[in-house]
Amino acid sequence: MIPSTTRMVVLRDRPGRGDDPTPDLFAVEELPIPELQAGQLLVRNIAMSVDPSMRGRLDLGEKHYTTNFEVGQPLDGSAVGEVIASEDERIPAGVVVRHRAGWREHAVVDASTVAVIDTEAAPVGAWLGVLGQTGFTAWVGLKRIGELHEGDVVFISAAAGAVGSAAGSFAKLLGASRVVGSAGGPDKVRQLVEQLGYDDAMDYRAESPRDAVRRLAPDGLDVYFDNVGGPHLVAALKNMRVNGRVALCGMISQYSDDGRGEDINNLIEAVLRRITIRGFIVRDHEDMRPEFEQTVAGWLRSGEVEALQTVTDGIDHAVDGFLGMLRGANVGKALIRLDPNWDI
Ligand SMILES: NC(=O)c1ccc[n+]([C@@H]2O[C@H](COP(=O)([O-])OP(=O)(O)OC[C@H]3O[C@@H](n4cnc5c(N)ncnc54)[C@H](OP(=O)(O)O)[C@@H]3O)[C@@H](O)[C@H]2O)c1
């Protein structure tokens, strides 16, 4: 049956300047589903992604690569769902698609904006995680931005998260000789080494990155994959080898402090050690996606890569899953399952 209304997460208010977001800023509302127009699809969402970039979209202010969420309007983001009604003959009902209208149980989307996904090839969660934008970010960051070479020593921060866990396993498979990581808490550090294939790891809540990076990589780093910024970046710069590369992927330690964070006061290291420091936004590198999908789908099939995920169930708990991810409650990709009938 085609429903006439659906539940969505709406932004009620923005966080105060420099504040962490809180659950009261959001509400789940039941809203009408608009009538399908030519070229549109009605999708019942199966699962959606929650991402650190959504933290920045809660604020007002200039955005360089995405749009802010609007107060009074539903949030959006990556999701996978099943088409249940179609006004586009190329994508009939029953097909599973990835699209940008998450944070709602049903979505009306333009057929031209979706990607059809094969749930036989990989489960829904993988298409939002290691085989989706998350894994692609790790791929671009290591291969193009970090210029990973056979035998390199690689350091990855937020190493147990979605991008970080993918980057750790990809780096090993792409020929790194040593991969070390940083995460919050002893359980994650243990998991990095015992389950995720890291050679060694540090708990940044217990040990300062300044001391730990030298201990983890006494002969220096060829590549630093930065998800965190702040003291991790300072410590990595101090421990890079000559001609090292720093891939600036994100700076989650600064997302709630309006970007002020801790100053990077040792950029002279980039001069002395001839370091290349390069920021990137994954969507500028779409030319690499076919090679990425083909390689990582193969690694998933062979079991060399695992689709790690932390799943929160139900639209009523989506905000908890999002805020939990910002605090580090996840290992692997943080996902919200919206349809309990699907195994993701
Ligand atoms: N450039 C791009 O195109 C692009 C695309 C996607 C993602 N990103 C960036 O990649 C990074 C990782 O994203 P993701 O989706 O994979 O998220 P994620 O790592 O799965 O989740 C965020 C993690 O950040 C860690 N964290 C939170 N506060 C921290 C702090 N103050 N210091 C150190 N770690 C902290 C938490 O793990 P702990 O328990 O270890 O603290 C948490 O699990 C983010 O910076 C994101 O913005 C960039």
Side-chain angles (χ1 to χ4, degrees):
M1 207 188 75
I2 305 297
S4 58
T5 62
T6 194
R7 295 194 304 154
M8 307 186 181
V9 177
V10 168
L11 182 63
R12 293 178 57 202
D13 204 355
R14 300 190 190 281
R17 202 177 148 87
D19 290 345
D20 287 323
T22 46
D24 56 299
L25 302 177
F26 308 87
V28 177
E29 294 184 8
E30 176 118 18
L31 293 163
I33 297 175
E35 203 174 309
L36 278 195
Q37 306 296 316
Q40 290 188 322
L41 311 170
L42 176 59
V43 177
R44 183 171 52 230
N45 279 335
I46 299 165
M48 58 175 251
S49 166
V50 284
D51 306 303
S53 60
M54 292 168 176
R55 168 65 192 90
R57 298 180 68 197
L58 298 172
D59 293 331
L60 257 188
E62 191 184 3
K63 284 281 167 289
H64 297 286
Y65 74 101
T66 184
T67 51
N68 295 103
F69 296 129
E70 295 292 337
V71 172
Q73 297 296 317
L75 312 187
D76 60 69
S78 236
V80 164
E82 183 179 355
V83 176
I84 58 168
S86 171
E87 290 295 334
D88 185 293
E89 60 189 21
R90 291 164 304 172
I91 305 183
V95 169
V96 176
V97 294
R98 187 172 58 199
H99 60 87
R100 297 284 316 156
W103 291 99
R104 64 202 76 195
E105 291 180 317
H106 295 83
V108 172
V109 293
D110 288 337
S112 61
T113 64
V114 309
V116 173
I117 63 158
D118 179 359
T119 55
E120 299 288 314
V124 167
W127 285 105
L128 288 169
V130 74
L131 204 47
Q133 208 69 341
T134 288
F136 190 40
T137 303
W139 183 268
V140 170
L142 288 172
K143 287 203 71 168
R144 177 166 288 166
I145 313 301
E147 294 176 37
L148 180 67
H149 296 120
E150 189 89 22
D152 278 352
V153 176
V154 180
F155 174 48
I156 300 167
S157 51
V163 172
S165 59
S169 42
F170 295 176
K172 268 294 172 79
L173 289 162
L174 291 168
S177 62
R178 183 170 173 79
V179 181
V180 296
S182 161
D187 291 344
K188 281 193 180 182
V189 166
R190 202 166 27 249
Q191 222 169 339
L192 284 176
V193 176
E194 289 175 6
Q195 193 190 347
L196 304 183
Y198 280 80
D199 292 295
D200 206 347
M202 62 166 282
D203 172 2
Y204 72 87
R205 294 193 186 129
E207 186 178 10
S208 108
R210 193 187 52 225
D211 302 328
V213 174
R214 176 149 309 163
R215 179 175 61 72
L216 296 176
D219 298 327
L221 303 165
D222 296 293
V223 178
Y224 172 44
F225 192 116
D226 189 19
N227 289 314
V228 160
H232 280 85
L233 179 53
V234 171
L237 288 172
K238 186 80 189 152
N239 287 283
M240 296 303 293
R241 287 177 173 166
V242 169
N243 294 324
R245 285 86 60 202
V246 175
L248 298 182
C249 175
M251 301 213 171
I252 196 166
S253 73
Q254 301 177 8
Y255 290 170
S256 274
D257 68 6
D258 214 17
R260 290 183 297 272
E262 194 162 322
D263 286 342
I264 308 299
N265 56 8
N266 61 342
L267 270 177
I268 186 62
E269 300 293 349
V271 179
L272 303 176
R273 297 164 197 260
R274 294 76 140 179
I275 302 167
T276 303
I277 303 175
R278 183 175 171 195
F280 72 103
I281 296 294
V282 65
R283 73 166 182 223
D284 298 337
H285 301 274
E286 281 298 323
D287 59 297
M288 298 183 80
R289 195 179 289 269
E291 177 204 25
F292 154 73
E293 278 189 358
Q294 200 187 2
T295 310
V296 176
W299 286 342
L300 269 172
R301 270 196 307 276
S302 65
E304 287 165 287
V305 160
E306 211 184 322
L308 269 184
Q309 54 196 32
T310 299
V311 178
T312 303
D313 270 304
I315 192 110
D316 292 314
H317 301 289
V319 168
D320 300 335
F322 169 50
L323 300 182
M325 176 276 299
L326 291 176
R327 287 192 307 269
N330 62 309
V331 172
K333 179 73 196 122
L335 295 173
I336 313 299
R337 175 164 44 191
L338 297 168
D339 184 340
N341 298 313
W342 275 78
D343 190 5
I344 65 165

